[in-house]
Amino acid sequence: MAASEFDLIRDYFTGLGSRREDVLLGVGDDAALLQPPEGQAVALCVDTMVAGVHFPGDAPAASVGHKALAVNLSDLAAMGAEPAWATLSLTLPDADERWIASFTHGFGDLARYHNVALVGGDLSRGPLSVSVQAAGFVPRGRALRRRRARPGDAVFVSGTLGDAALGLALWQEQRATLDADSAWLIARLHQPTPRVSLGRELRGCATAAIDLSDGLAQDLGHILQGSGVGAVVDVDRLPVSEPARHYAVARRCLEAAAAGGDDYELCFTVPRTRLHRLDAIASRTGVRLTRIGTIEPGQGLRLVHGDGTPAGLQVPGYRHFTS
Amino acid sequence: MAASEFDLIRDYFTGLGSRREDVLLGVGDDAALLQPPEGQAVALCVDTMVAGVHFPGDAPAASVGHKALAVNLSDLAAMGAEPAWATLSLTLPDADERWIASFTHGFGDLARYHNVALVGGDLSRGPLSVSVQAAGFVPRGRALRRRRARPGDAVFVSGTLGDAALGLALWQEQRATLDADSAWLIARLHQPTPRVSLGRELRGCATAAIDLSDGLAQDLGHILQGSGVGAVVDVDRLPVSEPARHYAVARRCLEAAAAGGDDYELCFTVPRTRLHRLDAIASRTGVRLTRIGTIEPGQGLRLVHGDGTPAGLQVPGYRHFTS
């Protein structure tokens, strides 16, 4: 613990991520100076991850760095925004330089991949927690919202669901060795893939979108509430990965897919007249898209089997402060 | 603890602060949508306050809310930026609604005073900590930086120095009753005044500026390092408040003024040719401005008495991770 926070910021955080011409002034002054493009709205989000709450305290530092940025890029993706800038507030119990180096490696790799510049932040002593703020651009009036789903719209999800919840169970088993399936599920937990290009492609196609952080049932519920509609979802259509099927029995996979958090896939609604576009979008983005249900009048989410019988699943979703 | 975080966000955080027409979409979706003014740069900063590190864990909730925003507005002030938007990440051990109501009261009052809209954020369970990001506007090329101080420039500070450090000592004494002087010093600690209008007025006048969060010696040091210059400061000129003089002996006041943190005054440098503007700026902003020294060639900060003899003060400044 030889370095002050000023040394650490200089050595590990200055210039992290991509270089961008719209960053007039980056890390190192009282504030960053940024030049947003004209004619576009700035999408701004923030997500804090607390050790022991949002991620296991013993998660690899590189994964923590990756995930802290990924969950924010996922929020931008759900708005159809193009990521550009991020700030980082890192609170650490001590200045463990190896941990910090690994953390910034994970953060920086993902930032460069999405052309995101780290433009500011701070470093404090305290219980381990990471707060990232991300900003991106979206053409005026083209952002994806939660409130425009209409009865008859198809409900889609990207990727596979429930992997992160099963990955967490696996991580907590603390196995000495992991097979490929288990390692993949744990990677889905620790290094989620923000669906940035998919979000961009869904502009002008999806009527509503959200990213799945608290579980499908709860997050789709936000779309339903925001749009004043209900939905029916066929649980037999929920996309479950092969590694998930190998690890858990069918019932548990289904519950994880319907209510498990942390997958950071997108859930979105598409009117019938635009359904023909989806194949091309899946192909351009390389992301599997699955139609899981339909928006209907009324309110609430009905989880049913393919034959229409109620699925009878317990789907609480994650809440920090429960009633 | 009857409310979920969704209820709490709806009840306490939605619409907090000012309403602004450039907020296209505020709290309640995956990200906020904002419309920056054309021709201006966006200044963006973030500051995290951890209970027991940046503020006493038993500080009044309204003060915590005020201060978490104030320290960020102070960063914007030091850039000469006009505040506009803020996001808030609040981590709480439990959902104490009285605490939250009081916190948002303090945050909201200051936000409205400076025409700042809360546009997003999140609420998590964990050790008490508050991370606020603030964004503001500054005309292109007019921002105040740390790197343009030149030999011969006068060094100024706003307000009085050392109050917050003495206020912290007083707070830690846990007195049952406080006289007016003590209460004022504690208010300087808990409810700092960001010098927003002063920062704006200093555009085109100051060659460098910084806000004083870690103490004069350390923060002025950042200007000196950034500008590649040194400075001589006459410690007998450091502005010390009457309440500080009543509470502490002269030597202690001096040390607090030279090295005490958390005052959130501005320190800035002004070339000789612009010194005549300072009286009018002090008068327009209602903020006391004191010339405390001069930038000189070389490097490092020399603290001297009026007669030129070294002041011999211990001025470590605050560091989270010390060497």
Side-chain angles (χ1 to χ4, degrees):
Chain A
M1 228 186 87
S4 78
E5 68 262 35
F6 305 109
D7 299 327
L8 294 170
I9 288 168
R10 184 195 60 214
D11 293 346
Y12 293 101
F13 297 98
T14 304
L16 195 62
S18 290
R19 286 182 180 275
R20 295 179 58 100
E21 294 207 339
D22 55 14
V23 178
L24 309 175
L25 177 64
V27 171
D29 211 302
D30 295 296
L33 292 173
L34 308 164
Q35 188 57 53
E38 299 197 351
Q40 305 224 16
V42 171
L44 189 65
C45 61
V46 59
D47 250 313
T48 296
M49 299 196 335
V50 180
V53 180
H54 301 85
F55 64 95
D58 59 351
S63 299
V64 177
H66 174 104
K67 188 165 181 174
L69 180 58
V71 301
N72 281 282
L73 299 187
S74 179
D75 278 326
L76 293 184
M79 301 298 289
E82 177 90 30
W85 312 312
T87 64
L88 166 66
S89 262
L90 184 54
T91 304
L92 294 170
D94 53 58
D96 177 344
E97 281 204 49
R98 277 177 56 180
W99 195 95
I100 293 172
S102 179
F103 174 93
T104 52
H105 186 82
F107 187 102
D109 272 2
L110 186 67
R112 281 188 300 275
Y113 183 78
H114 289 286
N115 195 24
V116 169
L118 181 73
V119 300
D122 66 348
L123 196 56
S124 307
R125 186 169 47 77
L128 179 58
S129 125
V130 193
S131 184
V132 171
Q133 178 193 47
F137 314 132
V138 60
R140 286 283 300 266
R142 304 256 297 161
L144 303 173
R145 304 272 307 267
R146 296 179 178 179
R147 52 195 315 162
R148 291 179 188 141
R150 292 289 170 264
D153 288 0
V155 180
F156 280 82
V157 292
S158 64
T160 52
L161 302 186
D163 300 320
L166 298 173
L168 179 61
L170 266 162
W171 181 259
Q172 287 168 340
E173 290 174 14
Q174 303 257 356
R175 293 191 195 172
T177 57
L178 292 171
D179 61 21
D181 285 338
S182 305
W184 187 86
L185 290 170
I186 288 174
R188 288 276 290 161
L189 169 72
H190 284 329
Q191 286 121 256
T193 301
R195 300 301 189 187
V196 172
S197 56
L198 174 60
R200 217 162 35 212
E201 292 276 351
L202 290 175
R203 288 181 200 157
C205 176
T207 45
I210 194 169
D211 70 319
L212 298 179
S213 53
D214 296 331
L216 173 67
Q218 183 161 305
D219 290 322
L220 175 54
H222 293 309
I223 287 184
L224 303 184
Q225 207 168 14
S227 302
V229 295
V232 57
V233 162
D234 177 353
V235 297
D236 299 326
R237 289 186 179 221
L238 296 182
V240 174
S241 67
E242 282 306 309
R245 287 187 206 284
H246 294 165
Y247 171 64
V249 297
R251 180 83 190 171
R252 190 165 168 211
C253 285
L254 207 58
E255 285 175 352
D262 264 8
D263 284 319
Y264 296 99
E265 297 294 344
L266 295 187
C267 176
F268 55 95
T269 57
V270 178
R272 280 185 209 126
T273 53
R274 297 179 195 153
L275 286 177
H276 64 280
R277 301 190 202 169
L278 274 282
D279 279 349
I281 291 176
S283 154
R284 277 199 297 274
T285 57
V287 179
R288 172 177 172 179
L289 302 179
T290 307
R291 179 176 177 170
I292 60 168
T294 308
I295 298 294
E296 54 186 21
Q299 59 180 9
L301 173 61
R302 294 191 300 123
L303 295 174
V304 301
H305 286 293
D307 62 5
T309 57
L313 294 176
Q314 291 294 321
V315 287
Y318 189 79
R319 288 177 183 230
H320 285 282
F321 307 110
T322 46
S323 51
Chain B
M1 226 185 87
S4 78
E5 67 263 34
F6 306 108
D7 299 326
L8 294 169
I9 288 167
R10 183 195 60 213
D11 293 347
Y12 293 102
F13 297 98
T14 303
L16 195 63
S18 289
R19 284 180 180 276
R20 296 179 56 100
E21 295 206 339
D22 55 13
V23 178
L24 309 175
L25 178 63
V27 171
D29 211 303
D30 294 297
L33 292 173
L34 307 164
Q35 187 57 54
E38 299 197 350
Q40 305 224 16
V42 171
L44 189 65
C45 61
V46 58
D47 249 313
T48 296
M49 300 196 334
V50 180
V53 179
H54 301 86
F55 63 95
D58 59 350
S63 300
V64 177
H66 174 105
K67 189 166 181 174
L69 179 58
V71 301
N72 280 282
L73 299 186
S74 179
D75 278 326
L76 293 183
M79 301 299 288
E82 177 89 30
W85 312 311
T87 65
L88 165 67
S89 263
L90 184 55
T91 304
L92 294 171
D94 54 57
D96 177 343
E97 282 204 48
R98 277 177 57 181
W99 195 95
I100 292 172
S102 179
F103 173 92
T104 51
H105 185 85
F107 187 101
D109 272 2
L110 186 67
R112 280 187 300 276
Y113 182 79
H114 288 287
N115 195 25
V116 169
L118 181 72
V119 300
D122 67 347
L123 195 58
S124 308
R125 186 169 47 80
L128 179 58
S129 121
V130 193
S131 184
V132 171
Q133 303 79 16
F137 315 132
V138 59
R140 289 280 303 264
R142 303 257 294 162
L144 303 173
R145 305 272 307 267
R146 295 180 178 176
R147 52 194 316 161
R148 293 179 187 142
R150 293 288 169 265
D153 288 359
V155 179
F156 279 82
V157 291
S158 64
T160 52
L161 302 186
D163 299 319
L166 298 174
L168 178 60
L170 265 162
W171 180 260
Q172 288 167 339
E173 289 175 14
Q174 302 259 355
R175 294 191 194 172
T177 58
L178 292 171
D179 61 21
D181 285 338
S182 305
W184 187 86
L185 291 170
I186 288 174
R188 287 276 289 163
L189 168 71
H190 285 328
Q191 285 122 255
T193 301
R195 299 303 189 186
V196 172
S197 57
L198 174 61
R200 216 162 35 213
E201 292 275 352
L202 290 174
R203 288 180 200 156
C205 177
T207 46
I210 194 169
D211 70 320
L212 298 179
S213 53
D214 296 330
L216 173 68
Q218 183 160 307
D219 290 322
L220 175 54
H222 293 308
I223 287 183
L224 303 183
Q225 208 167 13
S227 303
V229 295
V232 56
V233 162
D234 177 353
V235 296
D236 299 325
R237 288 186 179 220
L238 296 183
V240 174
S241 67
E242 282 307 308
R245 286 187 206 285
H246 293 165
Y247 171 65
V249 297
R251 180 82 189 174
R252 189 163 170 212
C253 286
L254 208 57
E255 286 174 351
D262 264 7
D263 283 321
Y264 295 97
E265 296 295 344
L266 295 186
C267 175
F268 55 95
T269 57
V270 178
R272 278 185 210 125
T273 52
R274 297 180 194 152
L275 287 177
H276 63 280
R277 302 190 202 169
L278 274 284
D279 279 349
I281 291 175
S283 155
R284 276 199 298 275
T285 57
V287 178
R288 172 177 170 179
L289 303 178
T290 307
R291 180 177 177 168
I292 60 168
T294 307
I295 298 294
E296 54 185 21
Q299 59 180 7
L301 173 61
R302 295 191 299 123
L303 295 174
V304 301
H305 285 292
D307 62 6
T309 57
L313 294 176
Q314 291 294 320
V315 286
Y318 190 79
R319 287 178 184 230
H320 286 282
F321 308 109
T322 45
S323 51

